[in-house]
């Protein structure tokens, strides 16, 4: 069983390559609220739906003080294609060795079509300006998740 984060836990720091070829560190976002969402694979139907929902809500999330970052085990080159294909307007970070996903409890055993498999557990983390976990949501659905998150954050 993968250890899961809970509200009040320190968010594991990271510095990872992005879809643009730069690197992004969680420490660079201190002082801002961050929505870090983990998804299994770029350019798959569910992950595309979720990314586009975040993209379409980005202006209002940013207006409310949130930055959005997507994390997956995809290589930066695939993330760049995803960004270009779907006009993703927030950073996508690459965790090819899955160490950050594991630190967040977002990589491990999960149920997929009735079978137990090891992979990315679709999850969302709201991180406060001091770098602490405000919300840790595991096994979220790709469709409708952003709308539910917006309601839970009091934005809708």
């Amino acid at each position: 069983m993968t250890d899961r984060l809970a509200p009040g836990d320190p968010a594991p720091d990271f510095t990872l390559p992005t879809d643009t070829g730069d690197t992004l560190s969680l420490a660079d976002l201190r002082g801002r609220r961050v929505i870090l969402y983990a998804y299994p694979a770029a350019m798959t139907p569910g992950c595309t739906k979720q990314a586009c929902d975040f993209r379409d809500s980005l202006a209002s999330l940013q207006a409310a003080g949130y930055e959005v970052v997507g994390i997956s085990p995809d290589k930066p080159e695939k993330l760049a294609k995803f960004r270009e294909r779907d006009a993703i307007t927030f950073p996508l970070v690459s965790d090819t060795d899955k160490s950050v996903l594991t630190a967040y409890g977002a990589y491990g055993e999960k149920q997929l079509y009735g079978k137990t498999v090891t992979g990315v557990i679709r999850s969302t983390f709201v991180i406060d300006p001091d770098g602490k976990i405000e919300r840790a949501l595991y096994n979220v659905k790709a469709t409708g998740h952003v709308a539910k998150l917006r309601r839970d954050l009091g934005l809708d």
Side-chain angles (χ1 to χ4, degrees), residues 18-138:
T18 71
D19 55 308
T20 62
D22 294 325
T23 57
L24 179 97
S25 295
L26 184 60
D28 295 340
L29 300 173
R30 286 286 186 277
R32 291 180 266 179
R33 283 198 153 105
V34 177
I35 297 170
L36 176 68
Y37 82 96
Y39 60 97
M43 297 196 281
T44 57
C47 297
T48 298
K49 171 71 175 135
Q50 187 178 22
C52 291
D53 285 352
F54 271 117
R55 176 200 66 204
D56 296 345
S57 289
L58 189 62
S60 62
L61 288 168
Q62 287 177 329
Y66 294 93
E67 297 293 330
V68 174
V69 177
I71 181 172
S72 77
D74 295 307
K75 292 184 169 137
E77 300 79 20
K78 185 174 181 186
L79 297 177
K81 288 178 186 164
F82 189 33
R83 173 181 35 86
E84 290 163 16
R85 187 191 78 175
D86 293 297
I88 306 300
T89 51
F90 52 85
L92 301 171
V93 296
S94 169
D95 183 25
T96 55
D97 70 2
K98 304 168 193 82
S99 60
V100 176
L101 289 161
T102 300
Y104 276 82
Y107 185 81
E109 285 190 355
K110 64 180 184 175
Q111 293 296 310
L112 186 65
Y113 305 114
K115 294 183 179 175
T116 300
V117 298
T118 299
V120 175
I121 299 162
R122 191 181 304 277
S123 308
T124 299
F125 307 92
V126 180
I127 302 166
D128 75 14
D130 298 321
K132 297 235 185 293
I133 298 292
E134 216 170 83
R135 294 172 190 259
L137 309 167
Y138 292 95

